Amino acid sequence: MTWPAVSMRWPEQATQWMGQLSAAQDLAGSELASTGLRLAGLQGLASTNPGPVGNAAQGAIAAGRAALSEQMGEAPACLVVTPFQSGVGQGHGYQRFLSAPNLLQQLGNKLVDASDPGRPAQEQYALCLLFLATRFDQLAASLARFNALLPMPDLVRTERRARHLSKLEAEKWEISTPGTLPRWQALPLERCTVLKAAQQSMAGQLAVLESYAADGSPMGDLAALASRKATQQQGRDQQLNDLKALLSGGGSDSSMRARLIGPGNAAELRRGLLEGEPPGHEWVLSAGALLVGSEKGLSFVRELVGL
């Protein structure tokens, strides 16, 4: 068996399908020019007439926009404390801990932190959320249930980090068994300069041909558009109904605690937050969120957590 020298050349047999498209390309070009002429001829002949639904829906649209603005217009101030924040948790390296009483102390101190210009200054209400766990996987699971409904960036990052640390703890005892090198893999044809040039040259022409192949009547296109809109609306309604069914009749979750405090200024809210019997130091992995705002602004989250 010999090893002949390599001679780089254009793949005539593999690309002969390009020549078969020339007739279709010429037809597409002529049809495109004809379409432009027909559209120019329709100028001034065709008109549209809006239906009666638009005027009838104006009142409902205004009421819906006002309700959304009223619900979302008074967003409360938010403070999130997690074990992984700098200067907050105890421990070194990846092993960071924060017990529940220390978490409450951190939240209370931030209420009266004069160096923070964003701290609340007026008499308001405070809603405190605690996420309690003893292991990283428990903390990630607890945060995942809450983030699925009301994701906060700091809590999402904490959930992701706790999940990764839990996976690291579980996999560090596994002994990997890698295969020998080299390994089989697919030939990267997408890196071939010949194929790149051919794809760039043919992409636009193929798109034109596909548009003509999928040609249909305007009435059919409008009917398909209306059907897609109806299907999308049904999907959104079903998603909302599924979420309502999931939240209705749900049991209490001991890994999440919530408490409403107020009204009062920052110092009074801090005293109210630290009063009573807090969760103990056995909850060594804890995260919390403190929402401060008006009673109306906190109503959505308050109802969401069952207070």
Side-chain angles (χ1 to χ4, degrees), residues 133-140 162 166 284-285:
T134 57
R135 302 193 312 267
F136 287 121
D137 57 340
Q138 290 179 349
L139 180 61
S166 174
V284 294
L285 280 172

Side-chain angles (χ1 to χ4, degrees), residues 41-252:
L42 290 176
Q43 186 71 25
L45 299 178
S47 61
T48 59
N49 184 20
V53 180
N55 294 330
Q58 291 298 326
I61 293 173
R65 294 294 183 187
L68 286 175
S69 177
E70 182 180 2
Q71 181 66 58
M72 304 300 178
E74 297 185 22
C78 177
L79 173 70
V80 175
V81 174
T82 71
F84 308 121
Q85 292 170 337
S86 177
V88 175
Q90 294 86 35
H92 302 281
Y94 294 112
Q95 302 297 329
R96 306 289 294 179
F97 306 97
L98 181 62
S99 62
N102 294 335
L103 169 64
L104 286 176
Q105 191 67 41
Q106 290 281 349
L107 292 172
N109 292 341
K110 288 299 294 183
L111 279 172
V112 294
D113 184 9
S115 63
D116 190 348
R119 72 184 182 96
Q122 302 175 354
E123 285 203 359
Q124 299 181 87
Y125 287 83
L127 177 61
C128 183
L129 301 171
L130 300 181
F131 305 92
L132 310 175
T134 57
R135 302 193 312 267
F136 287 121
D137 57 340
Q138 290 179 349
L139 180 61
S142 177
L143 290 174
R145 290 191 292 272
F146 183 80
N147 289 333
L149 301 176
L150 185 60
M152 301 180 189
D154 287 329
L155 292 182
V156 172
R157 285 191 292 268
T158 302
E159 174 199 346
R160 189 183 303 117
R161 183 167 181 177
R163 195 173 302 281
H164 289 332
L165 289 175
S166 174
K167 184 178 179 181
L168 178 63
E169 287 291 329
E171 293 182 352
K172 69 180 181 180
W173 304 106
E174 297 180 3
I175 300 177
S176 60
T177 55
T180 58
L181 295 176
R183 297 187 178 92
W184 287 96
Q185 59 183 348
L187 179 65
L189 287 175
E190 67 277 0
R191 296 188 177 184
C192 177
T193 55
V194 175
L195 290 180
K196 283 184 179 180
Q199 288 177 349
Q200 293 174 358
S201 175
M202 299 300 298
Q205 299 175 3
L206 289 176
V208 173
L209 294 177
E210 289 173 352
S211 66
Y212 283 110
D215 194 12
S217 64
M219 294 300 296
D221 294 341
L222 289 176
L225 178 61
S227 177
R228 287 197 301 270
K229 284 189 174 182
T231 303
Q232 290 175 356
Q233 186 60 43
Q234 291 176 0
R236 296 190 189 99
D237 294 341
Q238 185 62 40
Q239 184 179 7
L240 182 59
N241 292 332
D242 293 342
L243 184 58
K244 290 180 179 179
L246 179 64
L247 295 177
S248 63
S252 59

